[in-house]
Amino acid sequence: MKDEILRLLKENTKDFISGQEISERFGVSRTAIWKYMNQLKIEGYEIESVSKKGYRLLDSPDILTYEEIYDGLSTKFIGRKIIHFDSIDSTNSKAKELASLLDEDGTVVIAEEQTMGKGRLGRNFISPNRKGIWMSIILKPDINPLKVSMVTQIGAAAINKAFREMKIETLIKWPNDILLNKKKLCGILTEMSAELTKVNFIVMGIGINVNLDKDDFTEEVRETATSAKIEIGKRISRKEIVARILNNFEPLYKAFVEKEDIEETIAICRENSILIDREIRVIKRENSIRAKVLDINNKGELIVKYEDGKVENLISGEISIRGLESYI
Ligand code: BT5
């Protein structure tokens, strides 16, 4: 009911809506409406109430609930259910917990803050309150488990496209980072539960530094990480980015799952790759080997050539890539 009232207020921001009208429309008492309005105010909605005129929405909070995001959504199933938390340990952990209980493809778990955000290989991911996008998409595709790493590439393509639409010139650092001005803006952590030939579920976690300030990062990360706000010099709308990512993700994901078509994804990953033609170090466990990046192939693998002339196709797994002197 609260969400329905909010929707009505959003549709009528120019006029007051009387308590009488809301009461008749939803069949609830005036006192109940007053209570819902108070709840909305606690959530951060600025609502003007004038006796004999009614209620009017003046401003909405910067939060990532479905109610705040759906305006910008054009998807059929991705993000049509958004489970929102003010604070949580990790959206990926929560999404994994929920995944087996859900039938739908495309439920999103999103939080304003993570207290134990996760990177790959048990690393920590900094996720301060209301400053970034910390979300996980639950997917249940009928695909071979060997192809799951493609989902990370689809995610990277969708995120990069979203930023480019907003004239923010990000690049993709295969396999799971999005960079802005050569620093890490976003990381993706894809986890799955599968049997030999069947995927039970995939959870694709996306962490984006949108409005973080320099001192939100630990000293260790400050050199290599950045936020959109730091680079551009102004706050950026988190909900607009979320909606654009989900809108871009759905068609790329659908083409992959329904037709095994990843052409557009690979084209985006290639055209926006920061790695192709670069000298890098490939880090596998303790080993760090110099190589030159030649290309990304149609399976989403990174083709590298080592100094001894040997060529290898890398699949994402447990590999890290570094530039020779810097993060890239
Ligand atoms: C990643 O791992 O980049 C994947 C990050 C995925 C985070 C999302 S947030 C929503 C969802 N729920 C989760 O719990 N996780 C996902 P990796 O490539 O291992 O990089 C991790 C490394 O990035 C850390 O060791 C730090 O050096 C650095 N780092 C930590 N926090 C960062 C941040 N906010 N921005 C940039 N770099 C960061």
Side-chain angles (χ1 to χ4, degrees):
M1 180 57 60
K2 178 167 68 68
D3 292 344
E4 279 149 11
I5 293 176
L6 177 58
R7 220 165 278 184
L8 183 67
L9 288 172
K10 283 191 165 210
E11 283 161 10
N12 296 280
T13 48
K14 291 204 178 68
D15 307 310
F16 283 91
I17 309 167
S18 69
Q20 181 70 24
E21 192 183 332
I22 305 175
S23 157
E24 277 167 18
R25 192 185 278 232
F26 298 117
V28 288
S29 71
R30 305 277 287 263
T31 328
I33 292 166
W34 181 79
K35 281 188 186 150
Y36 289 127
M37 293 296 174
N38 279 343
Q39 278 175 23
L40 287 170
K41 283 180 191 166
I42 290 167
E43 283 172 25
Y45 289 91
E46 214 180 303
I47 297 166
E48 190 181 12
S49 49
V50 175
S51 65
K52 299 212 175 71
K53 281 187 168 173
Y55 301 97
R56 185 167 65 154
L57 181 64
L58 298 178
D59 204 6
S60 299
D62 177 29
I63 51 172
L64 299 177
T65 55
Y66 182 69
E67 290 310 311
E68 286 305 309
I69 291 167
Y70 84 92
D71 257 351
L73 266 192
S74 57
T75 59
K76 281 218 159 60
F77 60 97
I78 297 288
R80 285 296 160 186
K81 184 164 181 190
I82 294 184
I83 303 173
H84 174 265
F85 295 88
D86 285 328
S87 179
I88 201 168
D89 53 354
S90 149
T91 57
N92 261 39
S93 304
K94 190 57 161 186
K96 285 194 285 181
E97 240 175 79
L98 294 171
S100 44
L101 308 171
L102 295 169
D103 292 328
E104 315 99 287
D105 214 10
T107 297
V108 169
V109 178
I110 201 161
E112 301 298 338
E113 157 188 74
Q114 292 184 121
T115 53
M116 273 172 47
K118 292 188 301 183
R120 297 184 303 161
L121 307 171
R123 294 191 277 242
N124 174 47
F125 202 78
I126 299 162
S127 325
N129 191 20
R130 293 200 184 188
K131 293 211 170 179
I133 295 166
W134 328 117
M135 71 172 176
S136 304
I137 309 178
I138 299 172
L139 301 164
K140 302 193 136 189
D142 183 11
I143 58 168
N144 187 313
L146 293 173
K147 295 196 169 159
V148 168
S149 66
M150 268 319 296
V151 172
T152 307
Q153 306 303 301
I154 298 171
I159 297 163
N160 204 74
K161 204 170 163 195
F163 278 110
R164 295 263 162 173
E165 286 166 357
M166 297 173 76
K167 307 273 178 296
I168 299 174
E169 305 211 330
T170 49
L171 288 169
I172 302 172
K173 177 168 171 272
W174 184 95
N176 70 315
D177 286 353
I178 307 292
L179 308 192
L180 183 55
N181 298 340
K182 296 191 181 168
K183 290 185 165 188
K184 181 156 169 169
L185 178 72
C186 161
I188 303 172
L189 171 66
T190 305
E191 301 186 89
M192 71 162 163
S193 151
E195 287 149 38
L196 266 182
T197 54
K198 181 178 172 287
V199 171
N200 298 323
F201 62 78
I202 299 170
V203 163
M204 186 176 67
I206 298 172
I208 307 179
N209 305 321
V210 182
N211 293 321
L212 282 80
D213 298 297
K214 265 204 155 25
D215 54 12
D216 287 314
F217 295 108
T218 55
E219 212 153 295
E220 178 221 342
V221 179
R222 212 165 288 155
E223 290 303 306
T224 52
T226 195
S227 76
K229 183 181 165 203
I230 292 171
E231 298 302 319
I232 292 158
K234 62 171 197 240
R235 290 177 64 84
I236 315 279
S237 159
R238 293 182 306 150
K239 48 193 157 193
E240 179 178 352
I241 302 172
V242 172
R244 286 184 187 276
I245 290 171
L246 301 177
N247 292 344
N248 288 329
F249 183 78
E250 185 172 281
L252 296 175
Y253 172 74
K254 210 163 167 265
F256 171 59
V257 173
E258 290 176 5
K259 297 184 278 182
E260 292 208 18
D261 174 3
I262 50 163
E263 210 173 299
E264 192 183 343
T265 293
I266 298 296
I268 295 172
C269 289
R270 266 203 194 111
E271 280 158 24
N272 296 279
S273 168
I274 198 166
L275 293 183
I276 292 175
D277 289 336
R278 230 175 238 275
E279 301 280 342
I280 55 153
R281 284 182 292 129
V282 177
I283 304 162
K284 291 190 205 176
R285 283 177 220 100
E286 309 295 276
N287 287 334
S288 165
I289 320 168
R290 275 181 77 142
K292 181 169 183 191
V293 178
L294 302 181
D295 202 357
I296 293 170
N297 70 15
N298 292 339
K299 292 188 214 156
E301 297 161 348
L302 191 75
I303 309 175
V304 298
K305 186 175 181 182
Y306 297 108
E307 286 183 314
D308 62 6
K310 196 175 146 238
V311 172
E312 189 179 7
N313 295 357
L314 303 176
I315 48 169
S316 51
E318 304 197 334
I319 289 167
S320 294
I321 305 283
R322 290 286 179 276
L324 294 186
E325 276 95 37
S326 61
Y327 189 57
I328 194 63

